[in-house]
Amino acid sequence: MLDLMTVDSAGDLAPPAPATKEELLARVAHGDQSAFGELYDQIAPRVLGLVKRLLVDHAQSEEVTQEIFLEIWQSAARYEPTRGGASTWILTMAHRRAVDRIRSSQAGRDRDTKIGIRDLAVAYDHVAETVEVRIEHERVEKAMTRLTQLQRQAVSLAYYGGFSHSEVADMLHIPLGTVKTRLRDGLIRLRDELGVAS
């Protein structure tokens, strides 16, 4: 590429003026790696500063800045100079990418919190549970004494023994209907003794 040199008032050759970001971006769109290097040198500190201001974490800021420059390299052809300056285009891209990272991190934290809450073991008081079970057991034993001998026998076999109604009928040598009646009457009386609403 031919660089034009200008002559200053003393007659010395002056170095060419640095290319603008817009010119560099146009060259990057055509795959010019040296233009990309110059563009990086010119704007990387501003991009990193913007991203770091949003993310705070330096390591994440560097990672996001790298992603931004990769995106610039891949999408430089989409830049339209008529819609704004190259710096604005790049810094807007940086801002969006940083906000996306913040949202992604927040979503991850929210997901972890939900999973953590779900997996959190609820404190369990074994002593209180044991006392409650014992008190309920004593109440049921007291209420069982208020049943007739026949009702107590049927309820004990069916609910404490785990036998079916048919098995209770066979064991007591009585009809199935009689077993069901004794169980129903016994349970009604137990409910009334325990004060349980139906």
Side-chain angles (χ1 to χ4, degrees):
M1 175 175 230
L2 180 62
D3 287 332
L4 295 176
M5 303 291 277
T6 57
V7 179
D8 63 12
S9 60
D12 295 329
L13 290 178
T20 66
K21 292 176 187 70
E22 288 76 12
E23 293 169 342
L24 292 172
L25 204 50
R27 288 172 40 201
V28 169
H30 295 292
D32 186 339
Q33 292 180 1
S34 65
F36 183 74
E38 285 182 55
L39 181 65
Y40 181 88
D41 291 341
Q42 285 185 21
I43 199 148
R46 287 185 63 196
V47 170
L48 181 60
L50 172 65
V51 172
K52 191 170 180 182
R53 198 170 331 125
L54 293 170
L55 295 180
V56 179
D57 180 7
H58 188 74
Q60 272 198 19
S61 299
E62 288 178 342
E63 185 178 326
V64 170
T65 301
Q66 181 179 357
E67 291 171 6
I68 292 162
F69 278 98
L70 178 62
E71 186 176 350
I72 291 169
W73 175 256
Q74 294 172 339
S75 65
R78 291 195 325 244
Y79 168 66
E80 297 177 30
T82 58
R83 297 186 67 190
S87 294
T88 304
W89 185 72
I90 292 169
L91 293 175
T92 300
M93 187 184 304
H95 185 268
R96 288 181 181 154
R97 184 65 72 127
V99 169
D100 287 347
R101 178 62 65 98
I102 291 168
R103 288 180 181 150
S104 174
S105 296
Q106 184 62 45
R109 281 193 300 274
D110 291 347
R111 184 176 49 254
D112 292 345
T113 299
K114 287 178 185 174
I115 289 171
I117 289 171
R118 184 192 67 203
D119 294 343
L120 180 65
V122 178
Y124 181 73
D125 188 353
H126 293 285
V127 174
E129 179 70 19
T130 303
V131 169
E132 286 180 36
V133 168
R134 187 170 295 148
I135 290 170
E136 285 298 314
H137 182 70
E138 289 171 1
R139 287 184 64 214
V140 171
E141 278 184 348
K142 183 177 178 184
M144 287 286 284
T145 61
R146 299 263 177 14
L147 300 179
T148 66
Q149 177 62 29
L150 298 174
Q151 290 171 342
R152 187 173 32 256
Q153 188 180 33
V155 168
S156 294
L157 288 172
Y159 292 98
Y160 287 115
F163 296 105
S164 69
H165 295 176
S166 301
E167 291 171 332
V168 172
D170 289 342
M171 293 170 80
L172 298 177
H173 307 291
I174 57 175
L176 180 60
T178 305
V179 170
K180 289 183 178 183
T181 300
R182 288 180 185 173
L183 285 172
R184 187 196 70 213
D185 292 345
L187 291 176
I188 290 170
R189 187 176 246 170
L190 279 175
R191 183 188 69 204
D192 294 339
E193 290 292 329
L194 295 170
V196 178
S198 58

